[in-house]
Amino acid sequence: MYKEPYSFNLKRYMEPERFERFKEYAQTLDSPVLIIDLDIVEAKYNELKDSFANLQIYYAVKANPMNEIIHLLDRLGANFDVASSYELRHLLNLGISPERISYGNTIKKAKDIRFFYEQGVQIFVTDSENDLKKIAENAPGSKVYFRLLTEGSGADWPLSRKFGAHPDMIYSLILQAVELGLEPWGVSFHVGSQQRDIGQWDDAIARCKYIFDAALEEGIELKMINLGGGYPANYVDPTFSFQEYSTEIQRFIFEDFGDHPPQLVMEPGRSLVADAGIIVAEVVNIATKAKNNLYKWVYLDVGKFNGLIETIDESIKFPIYFEREGLADEVILAGPTCDSMDIMYENYKYKMPDTTQPGDKVYIFTTGAYTQTYSSVNFNGFPPLKAVVLPKK
Ligand SMILES: *Cc1c(COP(=O)(O)O)cnc(C)c1O
């Protein structure tokens, strides 16, 4: 069978000099490990901020809650979107002011709402009547924003159906919020994570406009649109740049709202931190299952249960780099546990140099988001993925 020489477009994912620093630091660490370069997080934050005329950023903490990332974003002036009292405690312990925190989960217990309120959090999302009543009772007078249902199509990691409500439902919740003594602030949506179709924001913004107009007819002036997350990270499948997303989204807003746009909020997670991380892993074994099998099985020390859960349905295709030179074999990639679900890629064939040996290092790029926190707790005894910060130059 004809084989091409193995190649990997490193420059597409990172400057080679920077990658050298990751490699050097990895030599001092046990595998597998996630290494985060805070300079990249900072650059991403600034790139996003600078691409918009007037944007309040609420970092979606769930993407990567490492202390160093929270401290960095705090210093850069970010706000924070959290989803549980655990995340809230984490941020308060790090000295984040409650005025800069929103409770962005539509699924919350009354006692948690009360806890947020007592700690000084003033902004709550909602998408249902029961939840709204809980907020009115346990966080009286707070600012609320209303989450619109979106389809999530076009996203590599959709968040559809579970969250949000139809515009007519949102409208009646807004009226009810006023009656309950809450302050309706605006409307939010999330078009799905790693959303590669920018047009999805157009539809959602148009629905926001409809809701703004309907509320205004009742004398209620909404002031904010929360554009959610969905901005891309640099995986195998290509995307537009932040600037192209922002330019288009601001055009959509101008089309609907003209020269008097509402306050714009965004809750980026993936797009701020994913590109900043590399998981340094190791090839544990390479197996050929039958003499006439086309594809080798390659088992890594990282898999679905210790960091790579977003490979479910091969949704997210992480760039994976093997270091040797050789001809390219197409391989099936699997994790180290005794669960047969722990296969990362079987349909989409990754390339690996045919000279690769068990014990070789493997570099998995764009793994700064939704990896460490998605790790299982000691399944098969494998610990959750460790994460460290790349030392400054
Ligand atoms: C997860 C989440 C985000 C972050 O989404 P990304 O696509 O990672 O940027 C933003 N808002 C809410 C409500 C979320 O649940």
Side-chain angles (χ1 to χ4, degrees):
M1 196 178 64
Y2 173 75
K3 293 184 192 173
E4 311 228 327
Y6 174 76
S7 72
F8 178 82
N9 190 354
L10 175 64
K11 286 203 188 98
R12 189 185 142 189
Y13 302 106
M14 191 174 284
E15 308 114 63
E17 309 83 72
R18 192 191 294 273
F19 178 55
E20 285 304 315
R21 288 174 48 222
F22 275 88
K23 263 169 58 177
E24 200 178 303
Y25 187 46
Q27 281 170 6
T28 67
L29 305 168
D30 282 336
S31 170
V33 63
L34 167 64
I35 305 175
I36 294 284
D37 186 344
L38 293 175
D39 289 347
I40 298 179
V41 179
E42 179 162 356
K44 287 280 159 190
Y45 179 86
N46 289 330
E47 189 186 346
L48 177 62
K49 186 108 194 152
D50 294 344
S51 71
F52 258 88
N54 174 19
L55 184 69
Q56 286 180 7
I57 295 177
Y58 282 72
Y59 173 57
V61 171
K62 73 177 189 290
N64 189 327
M66 284 168 74
N67 294 354
E68 296 90 341
I69 291 179
I70 303 298
H71 282 310
L72 168 68
L73 292 174
D74 179 35
R75 178 168 66 71
L76 295 175
N79 306 287
F80 298 89
D81 186 56
V82 307
S84 70
S85 55
Y86 308 99
E87 277 184 344
L88 176 61
R89 281 197 187 89
H90 175 55
L91 292 197
L92 295 175
N93 286 338
L94 295 179
I96 306 298
S97 154
E99 283 121 61
R100 287 167 60 191
I101 297 174
S102 58
Y103 193 175
N105 191 347
T106 54
I107 308 156
K108 27 188 160 15
K109 294 178 177 172
K111 78 169 178 23
D112 291 327
I113 296 171
R114 167 72 53 185
F115 178 67
F116 272 69
Y117 179 72
E118 284 167 358
Q119 296 301 315
V121 175
Q122 291 157 8
I123 302 173
F124 297 80
V125 73
T126 193
D127 66 354
S128 71
E129 190 176 325
N130 278 321
D131 183 62
L132 187 68
K133 286 179 179 158
K134 278 190 260 180
I135 297 171
E137 212 164 293
N138 296 285
S142 293
K143 267 180 166 172
V144 283
Y145 62 99
F146 303 85
R147 175 120 173 221
L148 255 179
L149 189 71
T150 58
E151 294 299 324
S153 56
D156 289 343
W157 195 257
L159 298 163
S160 57
R161 299 206 317 278
K162 181 168 172 183
F163 306 101
H166 189 271
D168 294 337
M169 178 60 80
I170 299 286
Y171 172 72
S172 69
L173 290 174
I174 292 169
L175 301 188
Q176 239 178 319
V178 174
E179 281 167 28
L180 290 167
L182 294 165
E183 182 190 335
W185 186 33
V187 179
S188 76
F189 56 81
H190 195 309
V191 293
S193 200
Q194 189 69 9
Q195 175 56 265
R196 291 190 290 129
D197 172 11
I198 305 178
Q200 296 294 320
W201 275 270
D202 197 8
D203 295 348
I205 289 163
R207 271 177 279 149
C208 289
K209 170 68 175 164
Y210 164 82
I211 294 167
F212 271 59
D213 287 349
L216 199 57
E217 278 179 27
E218 296 298 317
I220 302 165
E221 192 192 348
L222 298 173
K223 298 197 174 75
M224 183 279 300
I225 292 182
N226 181 326
L227 302 160
Y231 266 44
N234 194 9
Y235 300 112
V236 168
D237 291 322
T239 65
F240 289 106
S241 68
F242 282 14
Q243 187 58 59
E244 285 161 308
Y245 276 72
S246 298
T247 302
E248 282 297 281
I249 290 170
Q250 285 170 106
R251 188 169 65 78
F252 302 148
I253 290 169
F254 182 79
E255 280 171 1
D256 285 321
F257 291 90
D259 288 329
H260 300 285
Q263 172 65 52
L264 296 178
V265 166
M266 203 187 288
E267 300 165 342
R270 186 185 301 281
S271 57
L272 294 189
V273 292
D275 291 7
I278 297 179
I279 291 177
V280 182
E282 190 178 306
V283 176
V284 180
N285 200 20
I286 303 173
T288 306
K289 297 203 180 258
K291 286 250 154 53
N292 55 1
N293 266 18
L294 212 44
Y295 305 111
K296 290 177 188 166
W297 283 74
V298 177
Y299 304 94
L300 307 181
D301 61 358
V302 66
K304 279 212 160 64
F305 297 97
N306 57 347
L308 301 180
I309 195 73
E310 287 199 318
T311 60
I312 282 181
D313 296 332
E314 308 191 11
S315 304
I316 298 290
K317 293 193 204 73
F318 296 102
I320 301 180
Y321 176 46
F322 297 87
E323 265 190 300
R324 287 183 196 255
E325 293 181 4
L327 298 177
D329 276 335
E330 293 196 325
V331 297
I332 297 166
L333 288 171
T337 66
C338 296
D339 190 311
S340 55
M341 193 202 140
D342 193 8
I343 300 169
M344 282 84 81
Y345 303 104
E346 196 170 3
N347 295 315
Y348 183 83
K349 295 294 184 317
Y350 275 79
K351 299 225 167 49
M352 181 186 86
D354 59 1
T355 47
T356 304
Q357 298 296 322
D360 283 3
K361 282 212 157 54
V362 185
Y363 301 92
I364 309 177
F365 284 76
T366 322
T367 42
Y370 305 120
T371 51
Q372 187 194 29
T373 46
Y374 266 153
S375 298
S376 71
V377 180
N378 298 344
F379 175 55
N380 257 179
F382 291 102
L385 183 64
K386 281 189 304 288
V388 297
V389 161
L390 184 68
K392 291 268 178 195
K393 244 199 291 206

